[in-house]
Amino acid sequence: MNTASLNKSDVALIGIMSDANSSYMSGAALAPDLIRESLHCESSNRYSEHGIDLASHPRFLDVGNREIEADPTSFMQIEGHIAEILEQDALPLVLGGDHSITYPVMRAINRFYGPVNILHFDAHPDLYDDFEGNPYSHASPLARVMEEGLAGRLVPVGIRTLSKHLREQVVRFGVEVHEMWNLDIESVGRDFDGPVYLSIDLDALDPAYAPGVSHHEPGGMSVRDVLGIIQQLPNEIVGADIVEYNPTRDINGMTGMVAAKILKEVAGKMLRDS
Ligand code: MN
Ligand code: MN
């Protein structure tokens, strides 16, 4: 469907087919349709755990995919695709793509809401100044976001890869990191003031739960950890992305099903709260 027919508080599912800024392997551009396939798979229903049925909900709408070329100008047009949803007062639920897309998505979010807080699930803080000379790298989106003042607080959870440079970036940008080694799940995301944007890199999860990602980083979160934090977030969610599903690395589609499960809970919470 077209974004022009969206209404206020609709949750608009949009796929962004882009993985040109991945540093290690491609594949994430193929993710959106495979996550949808898992969502619609007959092995399960489409209810969130709090009883929101995505199969029949009048405010859960799919606006399809946008194919993004590799050059920087085409890449930054992602901002316009998300702005089209926000112009209708609808809420974007974005399926990546690699994590680089969060920078242009946040530019659009900032245009409409100002600097909102970001709750960021990831093994990596994605704060590299640039990665191998590419400032748009999927290792750098949150550095761009913080440089431009697009976010309020940035709160990453699941982090287990901090190098010296990345620790310096954490201090530079005042990032409030929940590292994996001493993670206290109950304390995550309980003290935000105002609306929250969720950015969910599937490699926050332990590879045992989500092998279909480009960067396997053992020692990660469980699916239940992630769902629990989302379900208990007291604040309204104004937008979300689920990124870095790489189907070429998946085993029996299990990571696709994990992405669809997270999608159901995120959409369910957005629909409950709006
Ligand atoms: Mn990431
Ligand atoms: Mn990551």
Side-chain angles (χ1 to χ4, degrees):
M1 76 170 275
N2 195 294
T3 50
S5 39
L6 291 169
N7 293 301
K8 184 172 166 50
S9 302
D10 286 345
V11 173
L13 189 70
I14 182 168
I16 301 291
M17 300 175 72
S18 167
D19 61 15
N21 293 299
S22 291
S23 57
Y24 181 59
M25 51 174 60
S26 58
L30 303 168
D33 279 343
L34 290 161
I35 297 172
R36 285 187 183 91
E37 224 172 82
S38 299
L39 178 67
H40 298 293
C41 176
E42 287 178 9
S43 77
S44 184
N45 62 36
R46 269 156 280 165
Y47 276 83
S48 76
E49 293 181 358
H50 286 86
I52 303 288
D53 186 7
L54 299 185
S56 63
H57 203 291
R59 289 195 292 115
F60 180 68
L61 300 156
D62 192 335
V63 300
N65 293 333
R66 303 295 180 273
E67 278 189 54
I68 309 297
E69 299 297 324
D71 63 283
T73 308
S74 306
F75 174 69
M76 289 311 291
Q77 284 167 1
I78 293 169
E79 179 183 346
H81 296 307
I82 303 305
E84 275 183 28
I85 293 170
L86 295 167
E87 276 157 13
Q88 305 301 119
D89 278 333
L91 306 167
L93 205 178
V94 186
L95 302 178
D98 69 42
H99 213 160
S100 63
I101 68 163
T102 298
Y103 168 49
V105 171
M106 280 308 297
R107 284 177 59 110
I109 293 280
N110 181 270
R111 252 207 263 169
F112 286 82
Y113 292 98
V116 300
N117 302 308
I118 303 179
L119 181 56
H120 166 209
F121 296 82
D122 209 321
H124 318 90
D126 295 348
L127 288 167
Y128 277 95
D129 221 359
D130 66 71
F131 197 78
E132 293 165 350
N134 178 12
Y136 298 118
S137 167
H138 73 153
S140 302
L142 279 316
R144 301 290 84 76
V145 164
M146 296 310 276
E147 271 167 7
E148 289 187 23
L150 300 178
R153 293 167 60 194
L154 173 58
V155 179
V157 52
I159 304 298
R160 50 195 188 277
T161 55
L162 287 181
S163 64
K164 185 166 176 289
H165 168 65
L166 292 170
R167 285 189 191 278
E168 286 164 1
Q169 294 287 80
V170 163
V171 173
R172 177 181 166 203
F173 294 123
V175 180
E176 301 169 52
V177 180
H178 291 272
E179 288 190 67
M180 203 63 219
W181 67 270
N182 64 351
L183 180 59
D184 171 16
I185 291 285
E186 295 302 318
S187 73
V188 178
R190 297 301 174 83
D191 63 343
F192 283 120
D193 194 11
V196 172
Y197 180 85
L198 287 182
S199 186
I200 305 169
D201 180 331
L202 293 170
D203 70 29
L205 295 160
D206 194 277
Y209 297 93
V213 297
S214 297
H215 301 262
H216 288 163
E217 192 66 42
M221 300 175 77
S222 71
V223 175
R224 182 48 54 187
D225 291 338
V226 172
L227 300 181
I229 291 170
I230 294 166
Q231 289 165 340
Q232 296 190 56
L233 186 69
N235 308 66
E236 179 198 351
I237 300 171
V238 291
D241 61 58
I242 300 170
V243 297
E244 294 285 341
Y245 174 39
N246 187 339
T248 68
R249 298 267 271 179
D250 207 1
I251 300 167
N252 298 327
M254 64 190 276
T255 312
M257 199 51 94
V258 167
K261 175 75 177 175
I262 292 172
L263 190 170
K264 282 196 279 192
E265 292 308 311
V266 172
K269 177 165 164 51
M270 291 167 93
L271 290 164
R272 256 197 309 150
D273 292 351
S274 61

